[in-house]
Amino acid sequence: SATNPAGKQVNDPGGIFYTSSSGIWQTVWLEPVADSHITSLKMTPNIDAGQLELQVNTSDASENLSVEVVVRAEGEEVVTLSGQLPNLPFQIAIPAQRLWSPFDPFLYDLEVRLMENGRSLDTIDSYFGMRKVSVEAVGGMKQVFLNNEPIFQRGVLDQGFWPDGLHTAPTDDALKWDLETV
């Protein structure tokens, strides 16, 4: 009914609704994996403790499996851990952490290997930012804080729809124009 939220998916777009779209919108590929492989990573930064909580989820809970982790900052190794158990969260101390912010959008590189008896079964490259977003009361008013400091938020709503490609910009120049215009 008209009172139910419909988002952007409606049969008869108009008004605030956009052209209906669904399905694949980027390149898709198939990739073979070992029977025991990494299925996902859960990363939770804790800037107050100077740690990243990492959980390496796997397709197998075998006792023979372990995890090796390498954290890099601008190509330099910062932390290396080995022997961690998969499927359980563990803490990685990030020394002299460099906090992510809009003014310094720094990301650490992360390499995770699933090991079995000294042999690598799977490797994933990822990244993370050390940041904290919270809501704090200041003078009786709630404010958004980034990295324990109040941050003023202002921005534009860019829907990211293209008349000739829906979710995909028709050219790199069109995407550049959109960003420069904003």
Side-chain angles (χ1 to χ4, degrees):
S1 77
T3 60
N4 292 333
K8 295 178 181 176
Q9 302 300 312
V10 294
N11 291 330
D12 186 21
I16 66 165
F17 297 104
Y18 303 88
T19 303
S20 296
S21 58
S22 66
I24 298 169
W25 62 277
Q26 284 188 336
T27 304
V28 175
W29 68 92
L30 294 176
E31 185 176 310
V33 294
D35 289 338
S36 296
H37 59 273
I38 299 168
T39 57
S40 66
L41 302 176
K42 181 180 179 187
M43 298 175 270
T44 307
N46 181 340
I47 68 164
D48 298 324
Q51 298 177 341
L52 174 74
E53 182 177 279
L54 176 64
Q55 182 170 329
V56 180
N57 297 310
T58 65
S59 62
D60 185 353
S62 168
E63 293 178 8
N64 296 330
L65 298 179
S66 65
V67 174
E68 289 185 359
V69 177
V70 178
V71 176
R72 290 185 180 86
E74 297 179 321
E76 298 294 320
E77 218 171 90
V78 175
V79 178
T80 302
L81 290 176
S82 61
Q84 305 301 317
L85 295 175
N87 303 306
L88 295 173
F90 57 92
Q91 308 301 318
I92 303 171
I94 307 296
Q97 62 185 332
R98 183 170 167 186
L99 301 182
W100 180 98
S101 79
F103 313 105
D104 183 22
F106 179 77
L107 297 173
Y108 289 90
D109 292 312
L110 180 68
E111 181 181 328
V112 180
R113 287 185 294 276
L114 182 63
M115 306 295 291
E116 182 178 47
N117 301 322
R119 184 173 61 103
S120 177
L121 300 177
D122 195 10
T123 302
I124 289 189
D125 292 317
S126 190
Y127 56 87
F128 65 93
M130 292 299 291
R131 67 180 178 192
K132 174 183 176 182
V133 177
S134 58
V135 176
E136 308 291 335
V138 177
M141 301 286 293
K142 290 186 178 182
Q143 292 184 2
V144 175
F145 276 55
L146 176 65
N147 302 332
N148 297 321
E149 298 288 332
I151 186 165
F152 179 73
Q153 297 183 83
R154 180 180 67 175
V156 297
L157 174 61
D158 186 347
Q159 296 287 343
F161 278 86
W162 301 89
D164 47 356
L166 292 181
H167 296 294
T168 306
T171 65
D172 288 345
D173 286 338
L175 187 58
K176 182 179 177 183
W177 173 86
D178 190 52
L179 293 171
E180 287 174 344
T181 300
V182 168

